[in-house]
């Protein structure tokens, strides 16, 4: 190993050493700086917190002092307000009052600017000292709002005001006022005593003492306006307000003051004549009866943390110097360590090479021993395709000894009787085309367990004396650089495994066929069961399966879950539990007879879920060759209703036939009587009561004749003679027959006929008679001046005719009987009009619906089927 090579290998080593050192130094420096800034920030916050608490305590003490001063002034004003007015006590002169004011003014020792006494009209009656009022305008004293406030409330007033001073450029000055009401002997408001606190006293006693060269101390109101400050140069803005100063979270200081509590805030003050400064404002409330002020102490933030920042700067400077010294020392030590490490690495590399050579030699011997002793036939080829290892199992399988095979390329001959490439040969050459050529039909595939290996199966005849199924698995052997230097291939006899697989496959196919048959049979059984279940569920009867004790085992039409044959509602319960109590004893008696072999069908009435009463027919039977019984339940309610209707229709038919016979016998005599009355009337020409009696007799005969005709039409209706017709003409013809009734009652008729109505196939005479009866019923129901509405419209496959009137209507209790024969509420009605109408409509395959409200009117809707179109051809 030469020196140049050592230097070349040494330089990258140094570079690799320096990069981690630089990264470490940079990380440590960044960590120290972040830590320093974090500690400094926390320290600044602690300093600000401690300083702010101190300032709050100072502001609180100042506020307490000002409260005591205001309280003292208020007590003095109360004493002064209790002096009697000059007008009530003659001994007390204005000069005496002024002397009393002077005594209190002097006693306050300059705490107030002046004292004023006003009467109930707001006129100044006494003041002290007189000299100060020469500079205050009269208008300023008259417009002070405190006077109206105490006059209204009757309480002391403490607040701020602006006084106008004569001759001053600014015109007004802010002051703090204390005023109390005066009352006369009858406890009536008689004026007020007012004083203005001395701003100079407040500034000298409380404000200047608390102000620092770098900070400000003010008295402000709840809106943030400055009321008292020691120096005008410290004005916050032109409006002299700090209420608009913004805190760090964006809200204004005014919102914090509105809570009326002491505290502090970090604010940005827009100082006059300079850039806004971040400051700490500590404030405490000065509580008074009529108002609230705050003592505010503002200190620039930089002044508070200045000392901490100076110390932080020194620490950072010395820390960076120390880091620089550590870096220089680190690089020196790293260079020396790198040289020593390089020597150690070279020595270590030489030792490791010797150890690897020894291990490789041992592993080679071990591997050869494992392969040689392996029960799996195995051989190994080198890059020249010559056999370098042929184990004992391979010799036993092929019948060729290793001594005849080592060093040769004849390894395919024992298997294929000719020279051709094996999988190991193909892997050594990495020739995949050859692999497909020779093993494309041998189920060749890449091994899923060995990297770079391939596997295939082949059938070889007469190998070692018998035909065999062989499984080949070949894998590459790599050197240190990853290049293929040899290949190993195993040859396994899988004949027995293949035969077993074939047997298992055949057995599996047999099982699968049997399973498919069973599945098919089960499906057929399920289909049959479902079909039978559908048949049972489709039956109108309900079937119950009972055991010998009467316990329900099956109920058709029941809701079942989890593929059960009976629902939870019926499972395990006696059938008598579902029988009404009034029928239970009767049903149990029938059940006892059934168990004795006497099966008698029976009827009973049961209550349904909706509360209706249903007629049931129960038929018991025994299931053949079992001890089970079935009950077949059939709902015969509708059958009973039809049976009742049938009996009624039979009865009505008998009545109709009887009536038809009577009507036929009466009809001819009536005609003779009518004709005789007409002849007698013409011959006798009666007058007066006789004429009236003839008319009554003729009218009654006509009534009986109409009754007979109606009975004959109802009892023996003739078949309609149908032909194509226009429904509108039929409606108009029938309406024309009622012209006299329409005129006599002044009935207004409205018609609304649809266009393009299809023709009807009907008997015109019958339809005219039906509509005539409908019109007559409507006109009989209406009073004079009624309205009759007739409309038509096309429907699906037919025509709808609707007739409405606004007559007396039909009561709800009469509606079910309107089509019954001989049912009428008229004095001279036959009760066959609507019956005859319905009979005619039924003969024409139509429908009639009548809706009515008593006192509102009646609507009759008739639907006729349209004439079927003629088919050509």
């Amino acid at each position: 190993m030469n020196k140049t090579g050592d230097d070349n290998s040494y330089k990258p080593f140094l570079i690799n050493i320096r990069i981690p050192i630089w990264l470490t130094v940079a990380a440590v420096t960044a960590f120290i700086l972040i830590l320093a800034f974090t500690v400094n920030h926390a320290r600044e916050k602690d300093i600000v917190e401690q300083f702010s608490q101190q300032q709050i305590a100072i502001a609180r003490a100042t506020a307490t002092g000002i409260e005591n001063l205001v309280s003292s002034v208020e007590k003095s004003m109360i004493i002064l307000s209790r002096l009697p007015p000059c007008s009530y006590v003659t001994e007390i002169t204005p000069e005496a009052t002024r002397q009393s004011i002077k005594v209190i003014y002097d006693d306050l020792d300059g705490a107030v600017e002046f004292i004023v006494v006003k009467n109930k009209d707001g006129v100044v009656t006494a003041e002290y000292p007189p000299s100060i009022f020469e500079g205050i305008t009269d208008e300023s004293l008259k417009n002070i709002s405190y006077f109206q406030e105490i006059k209204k409330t009757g309480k002391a007033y403490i607040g701020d005001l602006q006084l106008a001073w004569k001759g001053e450029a600014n015109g007004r000055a802010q002051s703090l006022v204390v005023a109390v009401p005066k009352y006369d002997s009858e406890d009536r408001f008689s004026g007020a005593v007012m004083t203005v606190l001395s701003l100079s006293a407040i500034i000298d006693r409380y404000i200047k003492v608390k102000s620092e060269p770098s900070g400000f101390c003010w008295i402000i109101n709840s809106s943030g306006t400055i009321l008292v400050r020691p120096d005008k140069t410290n004005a916050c803005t032109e409006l002299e307000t700090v209420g608009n100063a913004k805190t760090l979270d964006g809200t204004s200081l005014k919102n914090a003051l509105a809570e009326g509590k002491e505290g502090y805030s970090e604010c940005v003050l827009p100082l006059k004549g300079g850039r806004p400064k971040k400051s700490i404002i500590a404030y405490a409330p000065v509580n008074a009866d009529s108002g609230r002020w705050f003592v505010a102490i503002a200190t620039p933030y930089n002044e508070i943390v200045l000392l901490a920042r100076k110390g932080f700067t020194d620490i950072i400077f010395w820390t960076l110097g120390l880091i620089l010294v550590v870096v220089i020392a680190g690089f020196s030590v790293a260079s020396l360590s790198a040289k020593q490490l390089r020597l150690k690495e070279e020595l270590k590399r030489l030792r490791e090479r010797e150890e690897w050579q020894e291990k490789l030699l041992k592993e080679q011997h071990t591997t050869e021993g494992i392969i040689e002793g392996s029960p799996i036939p195995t051989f190994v080829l080198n890059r020249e395709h010559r056999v370098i290892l042929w184990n004992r199992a391979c010799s036993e399988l092929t019948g060729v000894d290793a001594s005849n095979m080592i060093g040769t390329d004849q390894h395919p001959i024992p298997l294929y009787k000719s020279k051709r490439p094996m999988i190991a040969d193909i892997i050594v050459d990495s020739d995949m085309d050859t692999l497909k050529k020779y093993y494309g039909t041998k189920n060749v595939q890449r091994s899923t367990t060995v990297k770079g290996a391939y596997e295939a199966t082949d059938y070889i005849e007469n190998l070692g004396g018998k035909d065999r199924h062989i499984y080949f698995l070949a894998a590459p052997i790599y050197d240190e650089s990853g290049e293929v230097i040899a290949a190993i291939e195993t040859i396994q006899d899988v004949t027995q495994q293949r035969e077993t697989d074939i047997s298992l496959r055949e057995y599996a196919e047999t099982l699968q066929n049997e399973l498919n048959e069973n599945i098919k049979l089960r499906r057929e059984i399920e289909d049959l069961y479902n079909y039978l279940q559908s048949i049972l569920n489709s039956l109108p009867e309900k079937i119950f399966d009972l055991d010998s004790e009467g316990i329900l085992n099956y109920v058709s039409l029941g809701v079942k879950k989890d593929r059960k044959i009976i629902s939870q509602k019926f499972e395990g319960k006696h059938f008598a539990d579902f029988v009404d109590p009034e029928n239970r004893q009767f049903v149990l008696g029938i059940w006892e007879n059934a168990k004795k072999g006497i099966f008698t069908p029976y009827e009973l009435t049961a209550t349904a879920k909706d509360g209706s009463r249903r007629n049931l027919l129960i038929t018991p039977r025994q299931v053949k060759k079992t001890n089970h019984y079935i009950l077949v339940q059939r709902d015969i309610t509708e059958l009973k209703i039809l049976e009742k209707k049938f009996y009624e229709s039979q009865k009505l038919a008998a009545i109709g036939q009887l009536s038809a016979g009577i009507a036929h016998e009466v009809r001819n005599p009536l005609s003779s009587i009518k004709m005789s009355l007409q002849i007698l009337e013409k011959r006798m020409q009666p007058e007066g009561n006789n004429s009236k009696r003839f008319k009554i007799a003729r009218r009654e005969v006509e009534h009986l004749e109409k009754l007979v005709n109606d009975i004959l039409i109802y009892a023996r209706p003739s078949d309609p003679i149908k032909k194509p017709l226009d429904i509108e003409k039929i409606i108009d013809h029938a309406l024309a027959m009622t012209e006299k009734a329409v005129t006599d009652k002044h009935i207004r008729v409205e018609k609304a006929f649809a266009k393009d109505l299809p023709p009807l196939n009907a008997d015109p005479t019958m339809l005219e008679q039906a509509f005539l009866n409908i019109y007559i019923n409507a006109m009989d129901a209406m009073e004079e001046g009624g309205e009759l509405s007739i409309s038509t419209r096309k429907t699906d496959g037919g025509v709808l005719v609707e007739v409405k009137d606004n007559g007396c209507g039909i009561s709800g209790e009469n509606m079910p009987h309107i089509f019954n024969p001989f049912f009428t509420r008229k004095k001279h009605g036959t009760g066959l009009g609507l019956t005859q109408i319905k009979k005619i409509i039924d003969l024409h395959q139509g429908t009639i619906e009548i809706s009515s409200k008593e006192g509102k009117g009646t609507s009759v809707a008739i639907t006729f089927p349209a004439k079927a179109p003629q088919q050509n051809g």
Side-chain angles (χ1 to χ4, degrees):
M1 187 178 296
N2 55 29
K3 185 176 182 180
T4 303
D6 294 343
D7 293 338
N8 292 335
S9 61
Y10 178 63
K11 289 179 180 179
F13 180 77
L14 286 178
I15 293 174
N16 293 335
I17 290 293
R18 287 172 182 170
I19 291 175
I21 291 176
W22 277 112
L23 292 176
T24 303
V25 170
V28 172
T29 303
F31 174 75
I32 292 174
L33 291 176
I34 292 172
L35 182 62
F37 278 108
T38 303
V39 172
N40 180 67
H41 180 69
R43 187 177 174 210
E44 285 185 4
K45 287 186 66 175
D46 291 341
I47 291 173
V48 169
E49 178 67 23
Q50 294 176 7
F51 182 81
S52 299
Q53 293 300 329
Q54 293 174 0
Q55 296 297 86
I56 291 174
I58 294 172
R60 188 189 307 119
T62 304
T64 303
I66 294 174
E67 288 176 0
N68 294 335
L69 174 62
V70 172
S71 177
S72 175
V73 171
E74 183 181 2
K75 290 178 181 177
S76 298
M77 293 303 102
I78 292 173
I79 294 172
L80 188 58
S81 69
R82 292 177 179 174
L83 292 177
C86 301
S87 58
Y88 294 102
V89 183
T90 56
E91 292 79 4
I92 300 177
T93 62
E95 182 62 28
T97 301
R98 189 175 292 108
Q99 288 299 322
S100 300
I101 295 174
K102 179 178 182 301
V103 170
I104 293 175
Y105 179 82
D106 294 340
D107 182 62
L108 292 173
D109 193 19
V112 298
E113 294 283 352
F114 60 86
I115 301 174
V116 173
V117 179
K118 288 187 176 185
N119 61 16
K120 64 180 180 179
D121 297 323
V123 178
V124 177
T125 58
E127 72 278 346
Y128 189 87
S131 59
I132 198 168
F133 289 91
E134 297 176 358
I136 302 175
T137 63
D138 295 337
E139 181 182 358
S140 176
L141 290 175
K142 290 179 181 179
N143 295 329
I144 298 175
S145 61
Y146 75 90
F147 189 78
Q148 288 77 11
E149 182 69 20
I150 62 174
K151 185 176 181 180
K152 179 180 178 181
T153 61
K155 297 181 180 179
Y157 175 85
I158 302 174
D160 55 284
L161 60 84
Q162 287 185 337
L163 291 175
W165 295 87
K166 298 177 181 178
E168 286 198 5
N170 294 335
R172 294 185 179 273
Q174 196 77 18
S175 303
L176 302 180
V177 63
V178 178
V180 296
K182 287 174 59 66
Y183 296 94
D184 57 15
S185 59
E186 296 180 1
D187 201 21
R188 291 178 301 181
F189 179 77
S190 62
V193 179
M194 183 270 285
T195 184
V196 174
L197 293 179
S198 173
L199 297 180
S200 59
I202 294 174
I203 292 171
D204 293 339
R205 291 185 186 182
Y206 304 106
I207 306 303
K208 282 186 177 180
V209 176
K210 308 305 177 185
S211 299
E212 298 178 1
S214 58
F216 318 128
C217 183
W218 305 309
I219 296 179
I220 59 178
N221 60 17
S222 59
S223 64
T225 303
I226 298 175
L227 303 179
V228 177
R229 50 186 169 78
D231 187 0
K232 290 185 178 181
T233 60
N234 289 338
C236 187
T237 64
E238 293 182 358
L239 297 177
E240 299 183 358
T241 175
V242 295
N244 295 326
K246 300 294 183 181
T247 60
L248 295 183
D249 59 0
T251 60
S252 63
L253 182 61
K254 186 188 299 183
N255 296 334
L257 297 176
E259 298 180 2
K261 299 179 181 179
E262 64 180 31
Y264 75 92
S265 297
E266 297 184 22
C267 300
V268 179
L269 293 178
L271 295 179
K272 187 175 180 181
R275 295 179 61 186
K277 288 187 178 181
K278 180 180 177 182
S279 302
I280 303 297
I281 300 178
Y283 49 87
V286 179
N287 296 314
D289 294 337
S290 301
R292 176 172 290 158
W293 308 287
F294 290 85
V295 174
I297 302 176
T299 307
Y301 188 87
N302 293 336
E303 297 293 337
I304 300 173
V305 298
L306 180 60
L307 183 60
R309 288 183 176 176
K310 288 181 180 180
F312 174 70
T313 303
D314 294 340
I315 292 172
I316 291 296
F317 176 76
W318 288 109
T319 301
L320 293 176
L322 179 60
I323 291 172
L324 182 60
V325 172
V326 171
V327 169
I328 294 171
F331 273 105
S332 300
V333 172
S335 298
L336 181 60
S337 299
K339 293 179 180 179
Q340 294 177 353
L341 186 59
R342 184 190 60 176
L343 295 175
K344 291 180 179 179
E345 287 293 331
E346 289 295 332
L347 181 60
K348 182 180 179 182
R349 192 178 298 113
L350 292 173
R351 291 177 180 173
E352 287 179 350
R353 183 175 298 175
E354 293 177 356
E355 292 175 356
W356 273 107
Q357 289 177 349
E358 292 178 1
K359 288 181 179 180
L360 287 174
L361 185 60
K362 290 180 180 180
E363 289 179 357
Q364 182 179 358
H365 294 306
T366 302
T367 303
E368 291 177 353
I370 292 173
I371 294 174
E372 181 63 28
S374 173
I376 299 174
T378 307
F379 66 91
V380 180
L381 303 180
N382 59 15
R383 288 192 59 85
E384 288 75 28
H385 301 278
R386 296 190 178 276
V387 178
I388 60 175
L389 186 62
W390 187 275
N391 71 352
R392 187 180 303 108
C394 196
S395 299
E396 294 175 356
L397 177 64
T398 60
V400 179
D401 191 66
S403 59
N404 298 328
M405 195 60 64
I406 298 296
T408 69
D409 57 358
Q410 304 299 314
H411 50 281
I413 294 177
L415 287 87
Y416 294 104
K417 312 305 179 186
S418 62
K419 192 172 182 181
R420 51 161 286 181
M422 301 284 286
I423 299 179
D425 296 293
I426 297 171
I427 289 177
V428 169
D429 293 337
S430 300
D431 188 1
M432 295 298 106
D433 293 335
T434 304
L435 181 66
K436 294 179 180 179
K437 178 180 178 181
Y438 287 95
Y439 292 93
T441 59
K442 310 298 183 182
N443 298 326
V444 66
Q445 60 182 359
R446 187 183 294 273
S447 176
T448 58
T449 56
V450 182
K451 181 180 178 181
Y454 287 88
E455 57 186 22
T457 57
D458 198 0
Y459 180 73
I460 300 176
E461 298 179 352
N462 193 21
L463 177 61
K466 63 178 182 177
D467 301 337
R468 302 176 188 268
H469 291 275
I470 302 299
Y471 168 73
F472 299 96
L473 175 62
I477 299 175
Y478 301 96
D479 62 3
E480 294 179 355
S481 61
E483 294 184 1
V484 178
I485 60 173
I488 182 172
E489 185 169 355
T490 61
I491 308 169
Q492 299 183 49
D493 183 4
V494 293
T495 303
Q496 185 176 359
Q497 180 181 350
R498 178 61 63 87
E499 292 174 353
T500 303
D501 291 342
I502 294 173
S503 299
L504 289 175
R505 191 179 300 113
E506 292 175 352
Y507 181 66
E509 289 177 357
T510 303
L511 290 178
Q512 184 64 42
N513 292 334
E514 292 179 359
L515 179 61
N516 292 337
E517 289 296 327
N518 290 334
I519 293 173
K520 181 180 178 181
L521 180 60
R522 180 175 179 177
R523 288 177 179 173
E524 290 176 353
I525 293 172
E526 287 181 352
D527 292 341
L528 179 60
Y529 171 80
N530 292 333
Y531 178 69
L532 294 176
Q533 186 66 37
S534 300
I535 292 175
L536 290 175
N537 292 336
S538 302
L539 290 175
E541 293 85 2
K542 197 170 186 178
I543 298 175
F544 300 85
D545 177 70
L546 317 174
D547 62 12
S548 58
E549 301 298 327
I551 303 301
L552 290 166
N553 296 318
Y554 171 81
V555 179
S556 66
L557 303 178
V559 179
K560 307 170 183 64
K561 296 181 179 179
D562 300 329
R563 301 180 66 86
K564 292 184 177 181
I565 64 172
I566 187 170
S567 65
Q568 264 186 334
K569 177 182 177 181
F570 301 104
E571 187 176 9
K573 296 182 181 179
H574 198 278
F575 79 97
D577 295 342
F578 302 96
V579 179
D580 291 341
E582 64 269 18
N583 299 325
R584 192 169 297 162
Q585 195 63 35
F586 169 72
V587 171
L588 289 175
I590 300 294
W591 167 246
E592 292 297 330
N593 291 336
K595 290 196 292 184
K596 297 175 182 178
I598 304 172
F599 304 106
T600 305
Y602 58 93
E603 295 181 12
L604 58 84
T605 304
T607 303
K609 292 181 179 179
D610 57 0
S612 62
R613 301 290 288 175
R614 311 296 295 178
N615 298 100
L616 303 177
L617 174 63
I618 311 298
T619 305
R621 285 290 185 275
Q622 185 175 10
V623 181
K624 292 183 178 180
K625 299 181 181 180
T626 67
N627 61 346
H628 281 221
Y629 299 85
I630 61 171
L631 299 179
V632 180
Q633 172 186 300
R634 184 174 185 180
D635 189 343
I636 59 173
T637 305
E638 301 298 329
L639 187 61
K640 287 288 186 181
I641 294 173
L642 290 176
E643 185 180 15
K644 183 178 180 182
K645 288 183 177 179
F646 175 75
Y647 290 147
E648 290 179 355
S649 65
Q650 291 289 338
K651 183 167 59 177
L652 289 175
I655 294 172
Q657 290 178 357
L658 177 62
S659 301
I662 295 172
H664 182 71
E665 295 297 328
V666 172
R667 188 176 187 180
N668 292 331
L670 280 176
S671 298
S672 300
I673 294 171
K674 183 178 180 181
M675 186 178 298
S676 299
L677 285 173
Q678 291 175 351
I679 294 171
L680 288 173
E681 187 176 8
K682 286 182 180 180
R683 289 180 180 179
M684 297 177 64
Q685 294 182 354
E687 295 179 357
N689 289 333
N690 292 331
S691 177
K692 186 177 180 180
R693 290 188 184 95
F694 267 102
K695 290 181 180 179
I696 292 172
R698 189 172 65 249
R699 186 175 64 246
E700 293 299 328
V701 169
E702 290 175 352
H703 174 69
L704 288 174
E705 190 176 26
K706 184 178 184 304
L707 176 61
V708 169
N709 290 333
D710 290 343
I711 291 173
L712 289 175
I713 291 173
Y714 170 73
R716 296 178 182 176
S718 60
D719 294 332
I721 304 173
K722 296 182 179 181
K723 61 181 179 179
L725 53 82
D726 185 355
I727 189 62
E728 294 181 8
K729 292 182 180 180
I730 300 298
I731 294 171
D732 288 336
H733 289 169
L735 186 61
M737 298 179 189
T738 62
E739 182 178 1
K740 186 176 184 303
V742 171
T743 304
D744 292 344
K745 282 194 171 185
H746 304 287
I747 294 173
R748 186 162 57 117
V749 179
E750 294 183 355
K751 294 188 287 185
F753 294 156
K755 296 181 180 180
D756 301 328
L757 290 176
L760 301 182
N761 194 29
D763 187 325
T765 304
M766 285 188 174
L767 291 190
E768 287 182 5
Q769 181 65 42
F771 282 112
L772 179 60
N773 288 348
I774 293 173
Y775 298 154
I776 292 173
N777 287 341
M779 293 174 188
D780 290 343
M782 289 189 289
E783 299 292 338
E784 187 173 348
E787 294 182 3
L788 180 66
S789 173
I790 306 171
S791 63
T792 62
R793 68 172 181 270
K794 188 177 180 180
T795 62
D796 294 339
V799 176
L800 173 66
V801 181
E802 189 171 11
V803 181
K804 295 182 179 178
D805 65 68
N806 61 348
C808 61
I810 304 171
S811 65
E813 61 182 10
N814 291 333
M815 282 296 293
H817 312 292
I818 58 176
F819 291 117
N820 291 346
F822 308 110
F823 176 79
T824 183
R825 287 292 181 261
K826 296 180 183 179
K827 293 181 179 179
H828 303 287
T830 63
L832 293 173
L834 284 176
T835 306
Q836 183 179 3
I837 293 170
K838 190 172 187 313
K839 180 74 71 173
I840 293 172
I841 301 303
D842 291 341
L843 290 173
H844 287 80
Q845 292 81 44
T847 61
I848 179 170
E849 294 182 3
I850 298 179
S851 58
S852 180
K853 288 185 179 180
E854 192 170 7
K856 299 291 184 180
T858 303
S859 173
V860 180
I862 304 174
T863 304
F864 295 103
K867 177 186 176 184
Q870 295 181 355
Q871 301 293 332
N872 295 328

